[in-house]
Amino acid sequence: MKYPIDILKEIFGYDNFRYNQEEIINEIINKKNVLAILPTGAGKSLCFQIPSLLADGLSIVISPLIALMKDQVDSLNKKKEVAAFINSSLEFKDIEKIFNSIYAGNIKLLYLAPEKLENNSFVERIAKLNLEYLFIDEAHCISEWGHNFRPSYKKIKDFKNYIKFKTIAAFTATATPKVREDIITQLDLENPIVFASGFQRENLNLRVIKTNQKKFKTLELVQKHNTTTIIYAATRKNVEEITQFLKFNKIKADYYHAGLTSQARKIIQDDFINGRIDVICATTAFGMGIDKNNVHLVIHFNISSSIENYYQEIGRAGRDGEESFIYLLYEKRERDIIEFILLGSFPTREQIVVVYNALCNYGQIALGKKNDRPIPLDKGFYKLLNSADFSSNLVHSIIGVLEKAKFLRYNHNYDTKHYAKIIFSPAELRIYIDKIANNTLKDIILLVLREYGSSLFNNNTKIDLDKLGFKYNIAPAEIEESLVRLNAIGIIDYSPPIQTPYVNLEVPRTDSKSLTLDFKDIEKQKAYSLAKIDEVINYVYTEGCRFNFILNYFGQKIDNFRCGKCDNCNGENGINSSSVQFLEEIILKTIHESFQRIRSKNLFTVLTGKTKSDRFRTLSTFGTCLHFSRNEIENSLGSLIDKDYIKHVNGLLVLTEKGIDIITKSQAAETTAVKDEVTEQYELNIELYNRLREIRKTAAAKFSQTANLICPDEVLRNIALNKPNRPESLIQTEGFNQRMFYKIGSELLAVINEFLQEKKDTNDILGIQKEHNLPNSIIDTYNLLLKDYTLEDIAALLRMHESIVAMQIETILEFLPETNISKIVTNEELQKIFTYYDRGLTELKSVKEFLPHISYAKLRIALTKYKTIKKVN
């Protein structure tokens, strides 16, 4: 009996499994349904190949990738035939040969294109086999929320239920929790065991660079790393321009996109894989499907349209386990470019009608008829369509809508079949044959007629050149040449194999009015796609670990995870520690209070208090960002624009609906905070009132009088509320008199002063807060500061970023300069920092270079302390 590890060593040549591989294989062998989300390069193919090779029966793999099918089958069959694939690229005789091998018990693993499941006779033939496992590769294609939805995948559920497979396992490289749930629902998986981990790639170093000099930065990075590189860009134009720029600077580079011929793409890909070119530029919308393990640099010239796409693209780097670097180049308002491209792929009804009619016209299909040969999406079609008004993305999106509505079927693979139709009637053909001097042409006509009969006069008929050649001992190339010549003469209408994607009508051609489409679904997809762009923008601006952001996105939550390699973990992002979140809230509030009548150039002067305008000076946010640089404020403003919280209208900053929603929630939180503050003050008065009652109770016992006679409750409440701390102010309290003062005056003042001393610092901060519109949490920060907590502890206890805590401590120092901060910044650290400040180095970045072990937050606090000391002196 063989075990998975035996197959791993014998067939694949590995000694050990990768992370999660063995667990997944064991669950499958134990007849458990599985959904495995394994990132690119994690070896998911082994997870279904090994169980298949160990099984007694035949296992089926559904995969949309024809090239990948062939590669995997060729690899498995190196020692002996154990695998095969059936897709649209195969002729009838090839399929029969495969079935014969299955009947002989040679084939353990059969790859199928999802389109084959729609052929009922084919499915019935499969059902009669001894079947073991059903595996679905690229399972995200079954979900409309996945990044590569394919309607043909919807047939898998029916296929699964009809066959009644013992075990089903689905695999994908990228799936959010929402997509995972949808995959389970669409496949109707019973109690699946879900594996969703391994997204971390320890050898990838993630970076985001904000720059408006992208070409030069790209060149700089390529020259700096000097390694095999992939550069992704959003448009073909960008791809070509980047390549030209790199070549001009003596970099061996080439570009790769869907606009190239299949032959050109194959040559370029082979050159890159075999090391004849070092750098390849590709469109993000076009998957290259490469498997090159020594790519150590990936640059995104533009942002991706989703985290799924981004992760899949960066996953091409470092497959050999070596250190690799990932750079995303970002410039202001780039979201607008990507959003424009994205929205351009969501068509209007009018655009759908134009493309549908163009397809039918190009295929020469009359109303009420279906095509009898594929309609190629080639240059001729785009010329008829007037492609200046229709991008390839828009056309493919329209075809997707029509396919989902079951009007047509799209096939991105090539059609390898030949088609022919005799133009004339049988009588006319006999006359023409008699006139043809070329005997070879005569023979070919007769052979084709003998094989396919009268159907040639009525329909475009598939011609199997290999079958004809084998049967009549004629080279297929000679038959093809004769068909081409007969087409030129005008005797037949001959169509060679299609070397571009193509479509077939699912139902007869209908008129435009009968083209029923679900536009609610299109709008839903549009909103979902825009939300995915939001996530990419959030990734750009995140201050946390970048890999942790990706892990969380895919539902792999690891507490306190830090990759230790990205720009944020290493402090290389050039952003000071001041909180972007705080700045964004202040900016939104400023625009809201200015009734959206403020320009970008005025925002900085308002926030730093450097304007003399009376209108701006009345804003509650005036001067609240004095310690922030222009770059920090502009960076946060850019972030808000990119997140679609703010937009420019006629030169003014205006809140979008999303921005207004944020402000509304913030105001609700502030209202709650005010209520909390009133409650807190009431509780403080109750605390003092109870202490005063104890004094009164003691006096009542001493003088043998009732408590109300010593001092009525109402008067005691007034004292607790007003807190008089001197004899004269106590006497002036309403209801309080000299008699009462003689009995309990001294004792009351002692308790009040003791109470005030305890609450002095809190009351000071409350006064500062009210006067300067500071956050409520500053009181808590101050109290923890007095209790000698460290910066890290205060941030953890209050669940705030250290930069926010640092900013609050700066404010406290400005108003209470004597506050002890020795637990925040040690005296030794202060002396070192002050040494550089005394030299005139007040730029935090400059001091940080000399004291790299001290955080920016502590440097800021030390600078404020330094300034307060200088003021006193």
Side-chain angles (χ1 to χ4, degrees), residues 69 124 205 214 514 543 689 800:
M69 282 186 194
E124 288 175 6
N205 298 265
K214 289 190 174 186
S514 302
E543 289 186 295
Y689 175 66
M800 292 192 299

Side-chain angles (χ1 to χ4, degrees), residues 760-765 768 782 785-786 809-821 865 868:
K760 177 179 182 298
D761 297 320
T762 297
N763 289 332
D764 287 341
I765 297 301
I768 295 168
Y782 183 71
L785 193 63
L786 292 179
I809 294 173
E810 291 175 57
T811 304
I812 291 168
L813 285 173
E814 288 176 355
F815 290 91
L816 300 169
E818 299 304 318
T819 302
N820 181 15
I821 61 166
K865 185 70 173 178
T868 59

Side-chain angles (χ1 to χ4, degrees), residues 177-229:
K178 181 176 184 178
V179 173
R180 287 176 215 165
E181 291 175 10
D182 202 25
I183 291 172
I184 293 170
T185 301
Q186 295 296 336
L187 290 174
D188 194 20
L189 294 180
E190 294 183 10
N191 303 316
I193 297 173
V194 179
F195 291 86
S197 60
F199 287 94
Q200 181 190 357
R201 294 283 304 279
E202 294 181 356
N203 61 325
L204 298 189
N205 298 265
L206 306 183
R207 305 281 188 275
V208 173
I209 298 176
K210 299 181 179 70
T211 176
N212 56 3
Q213 297 291 325
K214 289 190 174 186
K215 286 182 184 177
F216 291 99
K217 180 56 70 174
T218 300
L219 174 63
E220 176 190 326
L221 293 172
V222 170
Q223 290 175 333
K224 172 185 175 182
H225 291 280
N226 190 28
T227 186
T228 306
T229 303

Side-chain angles (χ1 to χ4, degrees), residues 31-84:
K31 310 303 180 186
K32 299 291 180 63
N33 292 332
V34 168
L35 171 60
I37 298 95
L38 295 178
T40 303
K44 69 179 188 297
S45 59
L46 287 185
C47 294
F48 53 77
Q49 289 171 345
I50 289 178
S52 302
L53 296 175
L54 287 169
D56 295 328
L58 175 72
S59 297
I60 303 291
V61 179
I62 308 297
S63 174
L65 306 172
I66 283 184
L68 188 63
M69 282 186 194
K70 187 176 186 310
D71 289 345
Q72 291 193 7
V73 168
D74 289 346
S75 178
L76 286 167
N77 290 343
K78 281 181 180 178
K79 292 184 178 180
K80 67 174 184 176
E81 184 184 37
V82 293

Side-chain angles (χ1 to χ4, degrees), residues 697-829:
K697 181 179 178 182
T698 301
K702 178 182 177 181
F703 293 105
S704 301
Q705 294 178 343
T706 63
N708 264 337
L709 187 58
I710 297 294
C711 183
D713 286 344
E714 184 179 349
V715 176
L716 211 58
R717 278 195 290 269
N718 284 336
I719 295 171
L721 178 65
N722 296 311
K723 303 174 186 65
N725 62 344
R726 296 187 306 277
E728 60 270 25
S729 55
L730 178 59
I731 289 293
Q732 291 172 2
T733 301
E734 185 177 352
F736 196 78
N737 56 37
Q738 195 73 37
R739 176 183 59 81
M740 295 176 187
F741 184 82
Y742 287 142
K743 290 181 178 180
I744 58 173
S746 298
E747 290 82 355
L748 292 178
L749 288 173
V751 168
I752 291 170
N753 281 304
E754 180 184 358
F755 179 83
L756 289 177
Q757 183 61 39
E758 292 174 4
K759 307 300 179 182
K760 177 179 182 298
D761 297 320
T762 297
N763 289 332
D764 287 341
I765 297 301
L766 281 171
I768 295 168
Q769 181 193 22
K770 181 179 281 188
E771 183 181 350
H772 296 277
N773 195 34
L774 298 176
N776 292 315
S777 58
I778 200 167
I779 304 167
D780 298 324
T781 300
Y782 183 71
N783 286 331
L784 292 173
L785 193 63
L786 292 179
K787 294 176 183 178
D788 290 337
Y789 281 96
T790 65
L791 179 64
E792 294 79 7
D793 289 339
I794 295 173
L797 288 168
L798 299 181
R799 297 183 179 180
M800 292 192 299
H801 194 282
E802 286 182 17
S803 60
I804 292 288
V805 176
M807 183 192 67
Q808 292 179 350
I809 294 173
E810 291 175 57
T811 304
I812 291 168
L813 285 173
E814 288 176 355
F815 290 91
L816 300 169
E818 299 304 318
T819 302
N820 181 15
I821 61 166
S822 60
K823 291 295 182 180
I824 304 296
V825 189
T826 66
N827 292 330
E828 183 182 352
E829 287 175 330

Side-chain angles (χ1 to χ4, degrees), residues 452-513:
Y452 297 101
S454 60
S455 65
L456 284 163
F457 293 99
N458 303 314
N459 303 301
N460 279 291
T461 305
K462 296 176 184 177
I463 308 296
D464 190 333
L465 300 190
D466 291 332
K467 184 178 178 181
L468 278 175
F470 178 78
K471 189 172 184 178
Y472 297 105
N473 196 26
I474 302 175
E478 186 177 342
I479 300 174
E480 183 174 9
E481 183 182 347
S482 297
L483 292 174
V484 171
R485 292 182 66 184
L486 288 167
N487 181 77
I489 295 170
I491 294 177
I492 68 169
D493 182 7
Y494 165 67
S495 300
I498 298 172
Q499 297 301 315
T500 64
Y502 60 89
V503 300
N504 287 308
L505 294 189
E506 292 282 274
V507 295
R509 180 177 181 177
T510 184
D511 61 77
S512 302
K513 293 180 181 179

Side-chain angles (χ1 to χ4, degrees), residues 90-138:
L90 298 184
E91 298 290 347
F92 175 79
K93 65 181 180 63
D94 298 318
I95 295 175
E96 288 304 304
K97 185 178 178 182
I98 290 169
F99 271 102
N100 289 333
S101 291
I102 294 172
Y103 297 146
N106 298 327
I107 303 299
K108 291 284 190 178
L109 189 59
L110 179 63
Y111 289 79
L112 294 179
E115 290 77 17
K116 298 300 293 183
L117 306 184
E118 299 181 17
N119 186 321
N120 291 335
S121 60
F122 180 84
V123 171
E124 288 175 6
R125 194 173 184 183
I126 291 289
K128 295 175 182 177
L129 301 172
N130 178 25
L131 297 170
E132 192 77 33
Y133 302 118
L134 173 63
F135 299 115
I136 299 101
D137 199 11
E138 308 295 329

